[in-house]
């Protein structure tokens, strides 16, 4: 009875605290600019099924995809056991799902095998990150300090959770063996471990309770760790994929306010639609062209930042990054999250990246006013982008770093006139000559001069 | 232009039809060939434009160009963040195109293709836009172009470099490969191809600026990959990854006569510069699809 009450309190506290954190994150995402992402439910559903549930894009790289699949399936299946734990905890039952009989055996057996595989996969993940030198994409200026520690904490916690699960099962199994009873379910791994456990009923009972409490408490603590961690992707990947852009990747967003201005310039009779007003009818502060800070980005790009698990596939295929330029698409996404949490709501554990000379950053003194552009992302990074979409293509959860890059370029060019000089020359060539190079427009058709072709009947007429 | 010279009997001068003239005669073309700035001004890419016009003439398509009325689509301005300049260009072009009632546009530039196809509709320009790789594929499939009677590419090693704005931007991967397959050449794929293709380094307005500071130019990285693929030098491939390598290690295949095929004017510039940088220009050539088709068809003059 006491255990049930304790458990209920723990459960309420954990979910309450998590809900409170989620509300803050939701508020952070909603500081972004409006973008209508409604409609196309069937297409979005299919994408979510394939890319998020089906891990489709993970399989561009087989080794990490298989390792990740083990942990992902383990997470899904072991959650069924968590359901049992919650019911047992609340009502004082013991393995209440055991009425399922052979299905229960199958479930427990699968769980145990997956649990063991998870430990192996996590060990492999740890090795990939911590060996010298690690897999290249687990390096970079943005992946030091907290992000590096965070990645390892996740792996340690996952091992602890699995060890707790095996402690619970093994002691329960041995306890039943001592009493000459059969424990419902199948335990292919735990049955191998019983020899390691004491043959003392009291101790086994304690161990079983310890394993049980450690497993569920660990999960609830981990749940509340997520909002501070890149591991939040286990939840956010799903809405993020749902709200994917459905247009061709080459299509960049249109700026409506500019369209109105240009239309008015070209056609004096065009009536510019009135600027949007606040709900009380007052005029809103004018929004800048492009993005200087997080609130200038569309909300979908802010959702992107919370879905990023910092795997670095984007950076590892970026042609600029590959050839030693400063640009790293992952850094831009991580900077966006850091900046949102610095300026608006921060999570429980908040250690934003601070860059110095290694990222060609001026030392930042005024953190509050260190906007996303310049405070975190330097123009040199933005101007290194070839807009090739390799980062967008590679992201397993459909994050679009390119959109943020273009929004910040827009701010640099349209608000600050801070384009590199050679690009300003290109702009004026387009304005004056209708071509990005300094050619005379009257020479545009010269290519057609003295153009000859060998006379030959077309293939179709021959046939 | 001088009148057609009938002398040789096998060489004919082409008078490229201009849209304004067609409109004056109340005619409309089946397709509008959008030449693009590189196609009109870049000496190297003018040869691609001319090859494509020869193909259009050869198959008897009723086409026209805008001639002096064409202007930059605004792509480089938009990628560089100058949305205002982009929209000015776009709306000027849309006014011209809509004025002529254009329905179908073919272009040899993936950047023009992407911009007109995907970004003009929001500004009032709705057209069927086709990249010349798709158009050539159609001509070959329909049997209008037999890719015979001219230069033979049989057995020559060709690798196709995907343009980002054709590939990842618009999911066109097979059309250019189908065109090359018709040449009966020895097609070899780079490790980074199709959706994993590596950019030539020119997109996003990089064409008009110096690269940002780094260890290596992107076009060198890509050219090294292309050369190693053509020569079959697996070791050189393994060494890639942003590190400047020595002139590619010789592979089992002689590079002489090998071809890097492209379908984009900027890729053309970057890959050609890369081949020169690697001092392979006497052995490896960079060609656009239209040039290869026109050569194979034997319609160059």
């Amino acid at each position: 009875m006491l255990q049930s009450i304790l458990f209920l309190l723990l459960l309420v506290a954990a979910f309450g605290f998590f809900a409170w954190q989620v509300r803050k994150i939701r508020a952070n995402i909603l500081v972004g600019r409006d973008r209508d992402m409604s409609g196309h439910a069937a297409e979005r559903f299919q994408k979510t099924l394939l890319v998020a549930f089906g891990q489709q894009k993970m399989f561009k790289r087989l080794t990490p995809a298989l390792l990740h699949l083990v942990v992902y399936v383990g997470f899904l299946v072991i959650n069924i056991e968590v359901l049992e734990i919650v019911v047992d905890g609340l009502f004082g039952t013991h393995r209440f799902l055991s009425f399922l009989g052979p299905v229960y055996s199958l479930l427990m057996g699968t769980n145990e095998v997956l649990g063991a595989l998870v430990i192996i996969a996590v060990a492999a993940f740890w090795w990939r990150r911590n060996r010298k030198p690690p897999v290249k994409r687990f390096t970079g200026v943005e992946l030091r300090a907290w992000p590096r520690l965070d990645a390892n904490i996740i792996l340690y916690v996952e091992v602890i959770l699995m060890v707790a699960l095996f402690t619970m099962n093994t002691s329960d199994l041995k306890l039943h063996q001592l009493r000459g009873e059969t424990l419902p379910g199948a335990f292919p791994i735990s049955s191998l471990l019983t020899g390691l456990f004491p043959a003392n009923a009291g101790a086994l009972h304690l161990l079983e309770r310890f394993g049980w409490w450690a497993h569920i408490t660990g999960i609830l603590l981990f749940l509340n760790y997520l909002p501070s961690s890149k591991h939040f992707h286990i939840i956010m990947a799903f809405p993020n994929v749902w709200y994917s852009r459905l247009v061709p990747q080459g299509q960049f967003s249109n700026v409506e306010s500019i369209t109105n201005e240009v239309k008015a310039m070209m056609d004096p009779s065009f009536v510019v639609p009135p600027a949007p007003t606040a709900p009380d009818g007052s005029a809103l502060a004018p929004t800048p062209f492009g993005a200087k800070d997080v609130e200038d980005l569309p909300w979908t790009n802010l959702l992107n930042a919370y879905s990023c698990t910092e795997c670095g596939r984007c950076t590892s295929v970026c042609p600029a990054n590959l050839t030693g330029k400063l640009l790293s698409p992952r850094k831009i996404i991580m900077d966006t999250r850091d900046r949102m949490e610095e300026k608006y709501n921060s999570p429980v554990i908040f250690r934003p990246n601070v860059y110095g000379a290694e990222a060609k950053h001026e030392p930042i003194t005024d953190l509050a006013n260190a906007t996303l552009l310049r405070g975190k992302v330097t123009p040199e990074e933005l101007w290194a982008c070839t807009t090739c979409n390799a980062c967008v293509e590679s992201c397993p959860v459909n994050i679009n770093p390119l959109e943020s890059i273009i929004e910040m370029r827009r701010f640099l060019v349209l608000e600050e006139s801070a384009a590199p000089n050679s690009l300003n020359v290109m702009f004026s060539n387009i304005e004056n000559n209708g071509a990005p190079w300094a050619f005379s427009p009257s020479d545009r058709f010269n290519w057609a001069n003295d153009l000859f072709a060998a006379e030959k009947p077309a293939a179709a007429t021959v046939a | 232009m001088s009148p057609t010279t009938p002398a040789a009997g096998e060489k004919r001068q082409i008078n490229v039809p201009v849209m304004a003239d067609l409109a004056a005669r109340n005619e409309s073309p089946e397709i509008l060939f959008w030449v693009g700035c590189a196609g009109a001004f870049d000496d190297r890419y003018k040869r691609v434009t001319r090859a494509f016009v020869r193909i259009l003439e050869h198959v008897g398509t009723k086409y026209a160009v805008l001639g002096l009325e064409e202007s930059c689509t605004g792509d480089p301005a938009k990628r560089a963040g100058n949305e205002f300049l982009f929209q000015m260009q776009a709306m000027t072009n849309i006014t011209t195109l809509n004025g002529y009632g254009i329905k179908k546009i073919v272009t040899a530039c993936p950047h023009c293709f992407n911009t007109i196809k995907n970004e003009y509709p929001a500004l009032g320009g709705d057209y069927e836009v086709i990249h010349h790789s798709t158009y050539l594929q159609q001509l070959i499939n329909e049997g209008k172009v037999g890719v015979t009677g001219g230069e033979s590419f049989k057995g020559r090693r060709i690798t196709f470099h995907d343009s980002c704005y054709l590939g990842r931007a618009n999911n066109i991967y097979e059309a250019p490969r189908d065109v090359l397959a018709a040449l009966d050449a020895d097609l070899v794929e780079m490790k980074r191809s199709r959706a994993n293709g590596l950019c030539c380094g020119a997109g996003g307005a990089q064409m008009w600026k110096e690269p940002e500071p780094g260890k290596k130019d992107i076009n060198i990285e890509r050219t090294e990959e292309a050369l190693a693929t053509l020569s079959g030098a697996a070791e050189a491939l393994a060494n890639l990854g942003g590190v400047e390598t020595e002139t590619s290690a010789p592979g089992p295949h002689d590079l002489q006569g090998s071809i890097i095929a492209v379908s984009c004017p900027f890729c053309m510039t970057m890959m050609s510069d890369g081949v020169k940088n690697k001092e392979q220009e006497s052995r490896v050539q960079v060609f656009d699809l239209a040039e290869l088709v026109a050569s194979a068809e034997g319609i160059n003059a």
Side-chain angles (χ1 to χ4, degrees):
Chain A
M1 191 59 201
L2 180 67
Q3 276 201 34
S4 292
I5 291 169
L6 264 176
F7 185 74
L8 180 69
L9 288 176
L10 176 71
L11 214 57
V12 170
F15 279 99
F17 189 49
F18 182 67
W20 179 73
Q21 294 196 73
V22 166
R23 270 175 62 99
K24 296 211 298 185
I25 285 166
R26 187 171 177 275
N28 276 4
I29 293 172
L30 291 179
V31 304
R33 282 196 186 155
D34 264 349
R35 171 174 283 184
D36 184 12
M37 299 299 276
S38 58
H40 306 280
E43 197 180 341
R44 293 189 184 286
F45 183 71
Q46 197 195 9
K47 247 195 199 325
T48 309
L49 221 51
L50 277 176
V51 176
F53 284 98
Q55 315 255 300
Q56 187 190 39
K57 289 175 88 182
M58 281 297 288
F59 277 86
K60 287 185 158 208
R61 295 183 190 188
L62 201 58
T63 311
L66 290 173
L67 293 173
H68 184 267
L69 186 70
V70 165
V71 180
Y72 168 66
V73 174
F75 166 75
L76 290 183
V77 175
I78 291 168
N79 267 343
I80 303 175
E81 184 162 0
V82 173
L83 189 77
E84 180 184 52
I85 289 181
V86 169
V87 174
D88 283 351
L90 286 177
F91 302 105
T93 50
H94 187 67
R95 295 187 180 265
F96 102 101
L97 282 177
S98 56
F99 71 88
L100 293 170
V103 178
Y104 188 70
S105 295
L106 184 72
L107 186 69
M108 288 298 116
T110 315
N111 251 345
E112 288 235 318
V113 173
L114 279 171
L117 287 173
V118 165
I119 292 178
I120 296 169
V122 165
F125 279 145
W126 187 92
W127 175 242
R128 288 165 63 84
R129 277 182 189 273
N130 294 283
R131 70 180 191 222
K132 303 270 183 271
V135 171
K136 187 158 181 288
R137 62 187 163 97
F138 300 131
T139 60
V141 285
E142 69 273 27
L143 219 63
R144 302 165 304 167
W146 170 247
R148 197 179 132 72
L149 179 63
D150 177 35
N152 282 332
I153 288 175
I154 295 161
L155 298 177
Y156 300 145
V157 169
E158 277 167 355
V159 170
I160 290 170
L161 290 179
M162 291 306 109
V163 168
L165 184 75
F166 284 125
T167 306
M168 175 181 99
N169 281 352
T170 309
S171 45
D172 204 8
L173 191 65
K174 187 147 186 180
L175 199 57
H176 280 74
Q177 284 171 354
L178 281 186
R179 291 178 188 150
E181 297 165 358
T182 338
L183 179 64
F187 301 92
I189 306 295
S190 291
S191 58
L192 303 174
L193 301 174
T194 45
L196 301 172
F197 278 57
N200 174 316
L204 284 173
H205 183 74
L206 260 176
L207 274 170
E208 193 274 338
R209 281 295 85 194
F210 174 77
W212 190 92
W213 277 99
H215 189 63
I216 189 65
T217 314
I219 286 177
L220 294 175
L221 281 173
F222 202 33
L223 177 74
N224 280 289
Y225 174 74
L226 295 184
S228 306
S229 163
K230 76 182 188 95
H231 209 51
F232 206 28
H233 82 282
I234 65 171
I235 296 170
M236 301 304 273
F238 297 92
N240 195 62
V241 172
W242 177 269
Y243 289 115
S244 298
R245 289 178 91 229
L246 300 175
V247 295
Q249 281 174 185
Q251 182 178 332
F252 289 16
S253 66
N254 188 54
V255 183
E256 199 84 24
S257 55
I258 292 181
T259 307
N260 290 333
E261 273 188 53
V262 174
K263 277 186 177 161
M265 274 174 65
M266 295 181 72
D267 173 12
S269 67
F270 178 79
V271 183
V272 177
T277 48
D280 60 3
S282 63
L284 287 170
T287 50
F289 295 126
K292 183 186 193 185
D293 215 343
V294 284
E295 64 273 10
D296 303 325
L297 290 169
W299 65 271
T300 48
N301 291 17
L302 304 185
L303 176 65
N304 279 178
Y306 276 110
S307 321
C308 176
T309 191
E310 301 165 13
C311 72
R313 288 179 182 222
C314 51
T315 295
S316 73
V317 296
C318 172
N321 190 279
L322 268 174
T323 53
K325 277 91 177 171
L326 208 50
L327 174 62
S328 162
R330 170 177 60 191
K331 176 178 175 292
I332 291 179
I333 298 298
M334 290 171 67
D335 287 347
T336 305
R337 180 167 173 176
D338 277 355
R339 178 60 187 162
M340 250 190 297
E341 300 185 332
E342 192 176 86
K343 191 168 181 180
Y344 298 98
N345 301 308
S346 8
V348 179
I349 306 169
F350 182 49
R351 306 244 168 89
N353 271 335
V354 181
Y355 303 110
E358 78 293 343
K360 297 196 190 175
H361 258 278
E362 308 278 322
I364 292 160
T365 44
D366 182 10
L367 209 62
N369 289 316
T371 52
L372 180 62
L373 175 61
R374 290 212 168 81
K376 303 216 176 286
V377 180
T378 58
E380 184 177 324
E381 291 168 57
L382 300 171
W383 291 121
C385 175
T386 69
T387 70
C388 76
N389 263 308
C391 55
V392 181
E393 185 79 36
S394 71
C395 180
V397 296
N398 285 357
I399 292 170
N400 190 328
L402 177 53
E403 225 182 357
S404 305
I405 292 173
I406 292 301
E407 288 294 349
M408 283 186 267
R409 278 189 178 184
R410 282 176 181 164
F411 189 89
L412 284 173
V413 171
L414 298 171
E415 296 282 347
E416 295 187 337
S417 301
N421 204 33
S422 48
L423 289 186
N424 284 329
V425 171
M426 180 264 283
F427 294 151
S428 63
N429 280 333
I430 293 181
E431 274 178 70
N432 300 326
N433 312 325
W437 295 283
F439 289 110
S440 162
S442 60
D443 291 341
R444 184 176 273 276
F445 200 32
N446 289 358
W447 62 267
N449 293 346
D450 302 321
L451 175 56
F452 295 91
E455 208 54 284
K456 186 192 170 192
T461 56
V462 177
Chain B
M1 273 177 242
S2 56
T4 313
T5 33
E10 72 231 332
K11 192 170 153 188
R12 178 173 69 89
Q13 181 157 19
I14 299 170
N15 288 308
V16 179
V18 180
M19 197 52 230
D21 298 339
L22 264 76
R25 298 195 299 267
N26 236 344
E27 290 175 32
S28 54
E30 190 190 316
I31 61 161
L32 180 91
F33 172 32
W34 183 274
V35 178
C37 299
F41 291 117
D42 180 87
D43 279 336
R44 178 66 189 85
Y45 220 66
K46 278 193 222 172
R47 287 172 22 211
V48 176
T49 308
R50 289 159 72 93
F52 189 63
V53 163
R54 286 188 183 109
I55 297 168
L56 290 175
E57 290 276 340
H58 172 58
V59 298
T61 310
K62 189 161 188 200
Y63 74 102
V65 298
L66 285 179
L68 295 178
E69 284 186 283
E70 197 182 284
S71 188
C72 174
T73 59
D75 162 81
K78 187 166 178 109
R79 312 301 143 200
N82 196 337
E83 183 71 12
F84 195 85
L85 178 57
F86 160 71
Q87 293 202 11
M88 291 287 290
Q89 287 298 118
M91 285 199 212
T92 311
N93 285 324
I94 289 169
T95 307
T96 309
L97 292 166
N98 288 354
Y100 287 128
I102 300 296
K103 299 274 184 300
K104 190 170 170 180
I105 298 172
V106 178
T107 177
C109 172
H111 292 259
C112 299
F113 166 72
N114 176 70
T115 306
I116 302 176
K117 175 177 170 280
N118 296 323
E119 288 161 357
Y120 277 21
L123 305 170
D126 279 294
Y127 320 99
E128 183 190 351
V129 192
I130 303 171
H131 184 253
H132 79 318
S133 57
T134 309
Y135 191 74
L136 291 171
Q137 180 199 28
Q138 286 169 6
L139 292 181
I140 292 169
N141 287 349
E142 290 163 4
K144 289 182 180 165
V145 171
V147 280
T148 49
E151 190 180 353
S152 170
F153 291 93
K154 196 170 169 57
R156 289 178 68 177
R157 287 173 75 82
I158 301 184
T159 191
F160 177 69
H161 163 78
D162 285 279
S163 147
C164 305
Y165 275 82
L166 199 58
R168 277 186 294 269
N170 288 292
N171 281 317
I172 299 177
Y173 300 111
E174 297 314 320
R177 287 179 170 80
D178 283 358
V179 171
L180 292 172
L183 297 174
D184 202 19
D186 192 359
L187 221 56
V188 283
E189 287 286 354
M190 285 185 260
K191 196 172 161 211
R192 289 175 282 194
S193 67
R194 291 192 170 83
N196 301 321
L198 182 74
C199 176
C200 70
Q206 298 291 339
M207 186 74 194
W208 291 274
K209 63 187 274 296
E210 285 303 310
E212 298 303 312
K215 293 199 297 252
K216 187 179 184 179
D217 284 349
I218 297 169
N219 67 324
I220 302 300
E221 166 91 0
R222 185 55 163 173
T223 307
E224 285 174 355
E225 183 174 10
L227 294 177
T229 305
L230 287 170
S231 70
E235 269 178 63
L237 280 178
N239 288 336
L240 285 173
V243 187
E244 185 91 48
T245 55
E246 294 301 311
T247 312
S248 322
H253 298 278
D254 186 6
L255 278 176
Q256 192 64 48
S258 296
I259 292 167
I260 299 172
V262 295
S263 60
C264 168
F266 307 143
C267 298
M268 169 73 85
T269 304
M270 299 307 266
M271 298 308 284
S272 303
D273 286 356
V275 171
K276 279 188 203 116
N277 179 288
K278 292 276 138 190
E279 296 173 345
Q280 295 295 330
E281 68 269 33
S282 60
R283 306 161 81 196
V284 180
Q285 283 171 291
V286 186
F287 282 124
D288 178 84
L289 299 173
E291 294 178 299
L292 294 171
V293 169
S295 297
E297 191 73 2
I299 51 174
N300 289 334

